Amino acid sequence: MNYLKKKILLLPSLVIILAVCIFYLHNKIITDANLVIAAAAAILFLAGLFIVRIYLKNVDNYILPLVIFLCSISLIMILRLKPTLFKAQFEWICIGFILLGLTVTFADKILQFLDYPYLLGLGSIIIIGSVLLFGTDIGGNKNWILIGPFQIQPSEFAKLLILGFLASYLQENKNTLNLPNRHWIFLYLPPLRFLAPLVLIWSMALLMFVYQRDLGSALLFFSMAVMMTYAATSNKSYLFLSGVFFIFSGFISYMLFGHVRVRVAIWLNPWADPMGKAYQIVQSLFALGYGGVFGAGFMHGSPDIIPAVYTDFIFSAIGEEFGLLGVLSVILTYLLIFFRGMKIALTCTDEKYKLLSFGLSATMLLQAFIILAGVTKLLPLTGITLPFISYGGSSMTASFIAIGLILAIGAKENNCA
């Protein structure tokens, strides 16, 4: 049975080959170069699985096949929607696997940085703040830095540092943060000096992201800070305070920044300007509706009429051509990665590793939820990537580093058990 399970877990590596065969039957897009890339991708996925299993004893056997399934979906949809970026996306996945390998190899040294929470917090602020000095406006968001031919989104990497800061700071101060030193109505709060570093990181990250028009990252960073604080302290007072803080900062942002007001207006009534500012979200809703339960069929939809469909709206393209069943399979994959990450977190004896594993797993699921809620109009559109699927190097490589940390922590804890 164990032998059969291992063979089944290899199947996601072959999804890309199946898709290329379908492309070939339709006599579209496929070139010799694309065939070579597809074959190389399948080999890379299989080799990655075998190498990780051999190198990391007692590693979680399910997370990497799930990630490979998402990467396969990414390559298939990029080849479908933007063939000129197919090679580039494959190259980013290759770099991601290299970074995953480096992360698991040097995990012990990387995890030692958890002993220096303020260094991690300061590093994250510097990385986010670097965009203020060197940032470039792309697609309405000033959250990119151009280095030669590459466009780097620093927030994707700052996210990992902030998670490290939160895991370390909360573990070291969770008892103090639970001290009912201040009692006001139903709130029980610690002395302000212990709460200040946490609030400072929240506030600075939020303000900089709102200024840079990166609302998705602002929402993501704030949410993951709240989740980890509650996970560490189990103090409901922090949930209430974060809610008040979110409403207050959201109101201030709405009053001060025009782009925030535009996003809210589009969210409340996209039909007021369906051919203008709300064009993307309206076309996304049409695509999802047209897909129905079973989808229009692979290569039988028209998702390419949505601007930026291969980045922010790639989920809408999946919904149009693969229907509800297709989008549920993607959502289920993210949920399974989260549950496997949570299982690793719950088995950790080291509190810092426990919080970091929880934060990395929950943030990936939360990021997927935010962009899915944005393209379905459940939340205002925020413009962040769908992990492992949307086109983009920063998101892809940062996500692989996160997975590398989860796998390394899981293997480390299992080996110590």
Side-chain angles (χ1 to χ4, degrees):
M1 182 61 76
N2 190 47
Y3 175 81
L4 180 62
K5 182 181 74 176
K6 288 185 176 179
K7 295 299 179 187
I8 291 175
L9 291 175
L10 296 178
L11 291 179
S13 305
L14 305 177
V15 170
I16 182 67
I17 297 295
L18 175 63
V20 168
C21 291
I22 297 174
F23 277 116
Y24 181 77
L25 292 175
H26 280 76
N27 195 26
K28 292 181 179 179
I29 301 171
I30 288 297
T31 62
D32 291 343
N34 289 339
L35 284 173
V36 171
I37 292 173
I43 294 171
L44 172 71
F45 294 155
L46 289 170
L49 280 174
F50 281 117
I51 291 172
V52 169
R53 284 179 187 175
I54 293 171
Y55 185 76
L56 278 181
K57 302 297 181 186
N58 296 317
V59 70
D60 186 284
N61 285 321
Y62 297 94
I63 291 180
L64 199 51
L66 293 168
V67 168
I68 287 174
F69 174 73
L70 295 177
C71 290
S72 299
I73 296 294
S74 172
L75 287 173
I76 293 166
M77 295 309 296
I78 295 296
L79 182 58
R80 162 74 179 90
L81 301 168
K82 197 78 171 178
T84 54
L85 296 177
F86 181 58
K87 181 184 175 186
Q89 185 72 341
F90 172 66
E91 290 172 345
W92 285 123
I93 291 174
C94 290
I95 294 173
F97 266 96
I98 293 171
L99 291 175
L100 183 146
L102 292 173
T103 302
V104 298
T105 302
F106 299 104
D108 287 340
K109 295 187 181 300
I110 295 172
L111 292 172
Q112 285 179 3
F113 281 99
L114 293 178
D115 294 333
Y116 309 97
Y118 293 104
L119 183 63
L120 294 171
L122 180 63
S124 65
I125 293 297
I126 291 174
I127 291 176
I128 296 169
S130 66
V131 181
L132 297 176
L133 298 175
F134 309 108
T136 300
D137 192 324
I138 297 178
N141 295 332
K142 192 181 177 182
N143 57 354
W144 298 87
I145 291 179
L146 298 181
I147 300 178
F150 299 106
Q151 300 171 357
I152 297 175
Q153 194 170 15
S155 59
E156 290 289 345
F157 302 99
K159 177 176 64 182
L160 301 176
L161 293 184
I162 288 188
L163 286 171
F165 162 77
L166 290 169
S168 181
Y169 181 82
L170 291 170
Q171 188 276 329
E172 291 180 1
N173 296 280
K174 69 175 187 179
N175 293 330
T176 310
L177 290 170
N178 267 331
L179 283 177
N181 186 271
R182 299 279 191 277
H183 181 202
W184 183 63
I185 310 178
F186 55 87
L187 298 178
Y188 296 89
L189 298 173
L192 184 60
R193 66 178 184 278
F194 294 109
L195 200 58
L198 210 55
V199 175
L200 182 65
I201 289 286
W202 290 4
S203 305
M204 291 183 68
L206 276 177
L207 285 174
M208 280 192 277
F209 280 128
V210 170
Y211 175 77
Q212 295 163 13
R213 302 186 177 189
D214 192 356
L215 301 182
S217 296
L219 181 59
L220 178 66
F221 277 48
F222 181 76
S223 301
M224 67 191 201
V226 173
M227 282 191 312
M228 290 188 69
T229 305
Y230 182 69
T233 63
S234 301
N235 188 341
K236 294 178 182 176
S237 299
Y238 291 110
L239 291 180
F240 179 81
L241 273 183
S242 62
V244 173
F245 182 86
F246 181 78
I247 293 172
F248 178 74
S249 59
F251 177 75
I252 296 296
S253 301
Y254 182 85
M255 299 303 293
L256 292 180
F257 301 103
H259 63 278
V260 177
R261 292 194 290 273
V262 170
R263 293 290 179 95
V264 173
I266 291 172
W267 173 55
L268 292 175
N269 185 14
W271 309 107
D273 190 14
M275 299 304 291
K277 293 176 180 175
Y279 182 76
Q280 281 183 312
I281 187 65
V282 167
Q283 292 303 320
S284 171
L285 294 174
F286 279 140
L288 292 169
Y290 184 66
V293 176
F294 300 103
F298 188 41
M299 301 185 71
H300 286 86
S302 304
D304 44 357
I305 64 174
I306 306 173
V309 67
Y310 53 93
T311 55
D312 299 352
F313 285 87
I314 200 165
F315 183 77
S316 304
I318 295 172
E320 180 173 357
E321 299 208 330
F322 296 98
L324 179 63
L325 297 179
V327 299
L328 285 179
S329 67
V330 171
I331 293 171
L332 180 62
T333 304
Y334 286 114
L335 284 171
L336 289 174
I337 293 174
F338 170 71
F339 286 131
R340 297 307 300 183
M342 281 297 297
K343 183 180 180 185
I344 290 173
L346 292 174
T347 57
C348 286
T349 53
D350 187 306
E351 287 290 324
K352 290 180 183 176
Y353 294 169
K354 185 190 293 281
L355 280 172
L356 183 60
S357 300
F358 166 74
L360 291 168
S361 309
T363 299
M364 195 165 295
L365 181 64
L366 181 64
Q367 183 170 340
F369 169 75
I370 290 174
I371 187 62
L372 265 57
V375 300
T376 54
K377 212 179 86 63
L378 183 63
L379 291 175
L381 187 62
T382 52
I384 58 176
T385 57
L386 193 58
F388 294 113
I389 294 184
S390 295
Y391 174 76
S394 300
S395 172
M396 184 67 75
T397 52
S399 298
F400 267 105
I401 294 173
I403 290 296
L405 287 172
I406 295 172
L407 292 177
I409 290 173
K412 185 182 177 74
E413 292 291 321
N414 286 335
N415 291 331
C416 292

